[in-house]
Amino acid sequence: MLDFVIYFVGFIVVSIGFVTFFGAPYVPTLKKQVQDVMQIYPLKKSDVFVDVGSGDGIVLRAAADQGAHAVGYELGPWLWLISRYLCRKYPNITIHFGSFWRKDLPPDTTVVYTFLNGKFMPKLERKLQAHTDKYGKKISFITYGFKIEDRESKKQQGPMYLYEFKPNDLRNTNIKI
Ligand SMILES: C[S@@+](CC[C@H](N)C(=O)[O-])C[C@H]1O[C@@H](n2cnc3c(N)ncnc32)[C@H](O)[C@@H]1O
């Protein structure tokens, strides 16, 4: 029995801990900061709001409450299951299991939110610029706590920074995809 408990706890710890290597460990955005997200970019029904690393889906639910279509990507299997359960009553929420680094975001994405470790910002900037260039549509990007180096934010609300990515932005011609 003790062996089972040790293996089970080990499995839980490893399955929660491994995501740290791909983005950030799970820390939820608190309710007050969820309000900051909603205020820095007032969502419309036509918006497609994407949370890369969506955790338990708290920000997705707030976006869906505004009428937007909300899409999450979650690498932690437990969090993915929990978020699916917590969001089960929202027809306008979709949550994908797996690493967002390996997925193409929805072509009609209008806003991306993230709460990730700052060291992943340059990689995420390259991914978002590539997406914007590919689909020829601008996207707004909200990041919790971490700025993008050398890129001017449009707005700040509490710990949130809002950026805008435009297709074929000349400023970014030196970005290596
Ligand atoms: C700091 S938490 C933020 C959770 C949620 N966005 C929120 O604001 O409440 C970061 C989340 O990103 C997830 N994550 C980290 N790297 C990821 C990746 N490459 N693909 C998908 N999810 C990832 C983690 O499992 C964790 O749930």
Side-chain angles (χ1 to χ4, degrees):
M1 180 63 188
L2 185 62
D3 280 356
F4 172 76
V5 172
I6 290 170
Y7 283 127
F8 184 70
V9 171
F11 174 69
I12 302 276
V13 169
V14 169
S15 60
I16 290 172
F18 88 105
V19 294
T20 307
F21 298 104
F22 298 94
Y26 173 59
V27 183
T29 300
L30 301 176
K31 279 190 180 154
K32 163 79 186 73
Q33 277 74 53
V34 173
Q35 290 316 310
D36 289 332
V37 177
M38 296 300 119
Q39 280 171 21
I40 200 167
Y41 182 102
L43 286 162
K44 303 174 288 298
K45 283 190 174 158
S46 55
D47 277 310
V48 176
F49 178 96
V50 177
D51 184 351
V52 286
S54 46
D56 75 352
I58 184 170
V59 190
L60 296 177
R61 291 190 290 283
D65 282 337
Q66 304 302 311
H69 180 55
V71 180
Y73 295 86
E74 179 50 54
L75 186 57
W78 300 110
L79 281 165
W80 177 71
L81 283 173
I82 290 166
S83 62
R84 291 272 303 224
Y85 178 76
L86 294 176
C87 299
R88 69 193 182 285
K89 294 196 176 136
Y90 289 80
N92 51 342
I93 294 182
T94 311
I95 309 172
H96 301 284
F97 174 59
S99 175
F100 60 79
W101 296 122
R102 302 173 65 84
K103 315 248 181 193
D104 216 6
L105 305 183
D108 48 357
T109 300
T110 55
V111 198
V112 175
Y113 170 70
T114 202
F115 179 10
L116 280 188
N117 188 320
K119 71 179 178 193
F120 293 101
M121 279 303 146
K123 189 175 174 187
L124 188 53
E125 180 185 22
R126 292 195 292 276
K127 183 174 173 70
L128 296 182
Q129 189 61 53
H131 176 97
T132 310
D133 293 345
K134 180 174 175 185
Y135 293 104
K137 285 190 262 180
K138 75 174 171 96
I139 49 178
S140 297
F141 174 53
I142 305 165
T143 156
Y144 186 155
F146 295 101
K147 287 183 171 181
I148 305 179
E149 217 176 295
D150 296 336
R151 192 184 272 260
E152 212 175 310
S153 61
K154 273 188 76 183
K155 218 169 156 186
Q156 183 180 358
Q157 168 82 38
M160 305 296 164
Y161 298 95
L162 176 71
Y163 293 89
E164 197 163 84
F165 283 72
K166 295 184 188 133
N168 306 308
D169 188 346
L170 287 181
R171 196 203 71 80
N172 297 296
T173 47
N174 59 346
I175 288 182
K176 292 183 188 61
I177 308 299

